[in-house]
Amino acid sequence: MADIYREIEEGLRHDRLQKVWRRLRWPLLAALLAIIGAVVAYVVIRDLAEERQLEQGAQYAVALETFQSGDPSSAVELFSSLADDADEPGYVIFSRLRAAQASVAAGDTQGAVNIYDRMAGDGGIHPLYRDLATLLAADRLVDTASLEEINQRLAPLLTTESPWRPLTIPNF
């Protein structure tokens, strides 16, 4: 007799479960497909970003190799194009710094100063590196510019909050 009650209860549970399944199967399947789609999209986007970073790293390595092989003019172009196209702020900053270094090696000090000035005026770069570019531009102009121009360039670095202040004030 207890078996009959158990079978009836199991039958009722089975019927209730079928009703719930019929009512919720499409929303559950849609949610499952949305989760799978989100995971796939995340993986694809992450892989594309990683691939882009590897490409930029390879471009940086080629530009650095070109510079070290003794062709600073070509290195300036390679570093500058990488800085213009890079997604990562690190590649933008270091490519511009290397482009300026290659300009100096090529004998184009004014080209290096222009690169530093462009870097100093770029709001997308961290202020620490913008200030570094200002300091390096002033350093490159020490032999050719007037004292007033150099002081004007260094004025933003003379504030008490600037980490570059100790480098810009002479210790007499």
Side-chain angles (χ1 to χ4, degrees):
M1 186 69 98
D3 291 337
I4 292 175
Y5 291 124
R6 204 173 304 132
E7 286 182 26
I8 291 172
E9 283 181 26
E10 285 180 21
L12 289 173
R13 270 190 238 143
H14 183 71
D15 288 343
R16 277 189 238 133
L17 189 58
Q18 279 187 335
K19 275 185 180 179
V20 169
W21 174 248
R22 275 189 229 120
R23 190 170 34 130
L24 296 178
R25 68 180 167 201
W26 296 116
L28 287 174
L29 288 173
L32 182 64
L33 288 175
I35 290 170
I36 291 171
V39 169
V40 167
Y42 171 76
V43 169
V44 166
I45 290 170
R46 186 189 66 198
D47 287 349
L48 288 174
E50 186 177 316
E51 184 178 317
R52 179 80 172 128
Q53 288 174 349
L54 289 172
E55 288 174 7
Q56 290 173 1
Q59 288 176 340
Y60 188 85
V62 167
L64 189 59
E65 188 176 307
T66 302
F67 177 60
Q68 290 173 344
S69 70
D71 189 4
S73 299
S74 296
V76 169
E77 292 176 23
L78 291 171
F79 282 124
S80 295
S81 68
L82 176 60
D84 292 338
D85 298 337
D87 302 329
E88 289 290 318
Y91 284 121
V92 172
I93 292 166
F94 293 115
S95 293
R96 286 191 181 158
L97 290 173
R98 286 291 189 164
Q101 181 185 15
S103 281
V104 170
D108 184 12
T109 304
Q110 188 57 45
V113 170
N114 291 340
I115 292 170
Y116 289 136
D117 286 343
R118 183 174 170 203
M119 192 173 166
D122 188 349
I125 294 177
H126 191 278
L128 182 70
Y129 296 108
R130 289 195 315 249
D131 291 347
L132 174 63
T134 300
L135 181 64
L136 291 172
D139 181 51
R140 290 290 167 208
L141 290 173
V142 164
D143 294 333
T144 58
S146 67
L147 182 62
E148 293 82 26
E149 182 181 350
I150 292 173
N151 284 336
Q152 185 179 19
R153 283 179 172 274
L154 293 176
L157 304 180
L158 296 175
T159 64
T160 57
E161 297 86 27
S162 175
W164 302 107
R165 186 170 188 255
L167 296 175
T168 57
I169 298 177
N171 293 325
F172 294 111

